[in-house]
Amino acid sequence: MDRESADFVSSRLHGPNLTAKPSADTGISSDFGNPEQQTKFGLLGLLDVIRMTNADLNTLALGSDLTTLGLNLNSAECLYATFASPWAEAPTTREPQFNLPMCYYMQPPPLKTSHLSKFQLETLFYIFYAMPKDVLQAYSAQELYNRDWQYHQDLKLWFKRGSSTDGISTTNNQYIYFDIKLWECRLFSGPHAADVTGGLLPEDEIRVKLQAA
């Protein structure tokens, strides 16, 4: 076996030659071949931590005993209630310093059913679909019936006979409906356009019945 083959087999078995120095043209000196540097960050490097010969290394690896700082670790309360951070120049306070704006102290006026007549059409539909099983849902439906809208119990949509005031050109008194996906009124021309009146709820079924005192 020649010298080159022997070096190749040795490098495969034992790894690269760590004692090799960098080439002179790089201009960089390295201590990687120093055995002390090789073991410093390995398992042998833990011996310096175990022996506690280096105070800085011991503090970094093991930390500090909090009892030497006057803290009672057996206390049920906070050890340091005003500790902000190691880099804070002043202790923190228990409550943050802020001023609550006066608008947060104002109570909004209660919503009256008479206000619904002043709401826009889209607002009434929002109340109806966004507040299920709420009394406002029933009152919004009642106001929609006051505006000639009717609810289809099968299609789950609101319908109305089209007119010139709706802004939609209709013929033969066609129905328009409120599209909950596009959030606008559209002309109804689906497969159920002919018999849409069959599923419309009568007004008496959606009226809010108040109990007598």
Side-chain angles (χ1 to χ4, degrees):
M1 181 180 296
D2 55 6
R3 179 62 179 274
E4 294 181 358
S5 299
D7 292 342
F8 175 75
V9 174
S10 177
S11 64
R12 298 292 292 177
L13 294 177
H14 304 288
N17 186 7
L18 300 179
T19 60
K21 299 294 183 180
S23 57
D25 56 353
T26 60
I28 301 175
S29 60
S30 176
D31 294 334
F32 188 71
N34 190 347
E36 182 180 355
Q37 293 295 328
Q38 297 179 23
T39 59
K40 181 178 180 180
F41 302 101
L43 293 177
L44 295 178
L46 293 177
L47 293 177
D48 293 336
V49 180
I50 297 174
R51 294 168 182 169
M52 299 183 181
T53 55
N54 190 334
D56 295 335
L57 181 61
N58 184 35
T59 303
L60 179 63
L62 303 179
S64 302
D65 187 4
L66 297 180
T67 57
T68 60
L69 303 178
L71 298 177
N72 183 12
L73 301 182
N74 297 324
S75 176
E77 301 179 355
C78 297
L79 296 179
Y80 199 165
T82 60
F83 178 78
S85 73
W87 300 276
E89 298 180 357
T92 183
T93 57
R94 292 183 179 271
E95 294 294 336
Q97 299 295 330
F98 64 90
N99 294 323
L100 191 65
M102 292 302 299
C103 59
Y104 284 89
Y105 294 100
M106 299 177 60
Q107 297 294 332
L111 179 62
K112 299 180 180 179
T113 57
S114 58
H115 295 166
L116 296 177
S117 60
K118 303 177 183 179
F119 288 172
Q120 295 183 359
L121 186 63
E122 291 80 1
T123 306
L124 295 175
F125 284 126
Y126 173 79
I127 296 174
F128 178 81
Y129 286 109
M131 300 180 179
K133 298 182 180 181
D134 192 279
V135 65
L136 287 178
Q137 184 190 40
Y139 279 112
S140 63
Q142 181 173 297
E143 177 60 28
L144 287 171
Y145 269 80
N146 292 338
R147 301 186 187 185
D148 298 330
W149 285 87
Q150 291 178 288
Y151 185 72
H152 200 287
Q153 57 184 349
D154 297 327
L155 300 179
K156 310 300 182 185
L157 296 173
W158 285 88
F159 290 86
K160 179 181 181 293
R161 290 286 186 181
S163 61
S164 58
T165 59
D166 298 320
I168 301 177
S169 58
T170 60
T171 57
N172 298 327
N173 204 15
Q174 288 179 292
Y175 274 101
I176 62 174
Y177 75 102
F178 186 80
D179 193 335
I180 60 177
K181 295 182 179 180
L182 301 177
W183 209 252
E184 63 180 7
C185 297
R186 305 188 66 186
L187 183 64
F188 186 72
S189 59
H192 305 282
D195 55 348
V196 67
T197 56
L200 297 177
L201 291 177
E203 185 177 358
D204 294 338
E205 294 190 14
I206 60 94
R207 284 289 177 184
V208 178
K209 298 179 175 60
L210 300 178
Q211 296 180 356

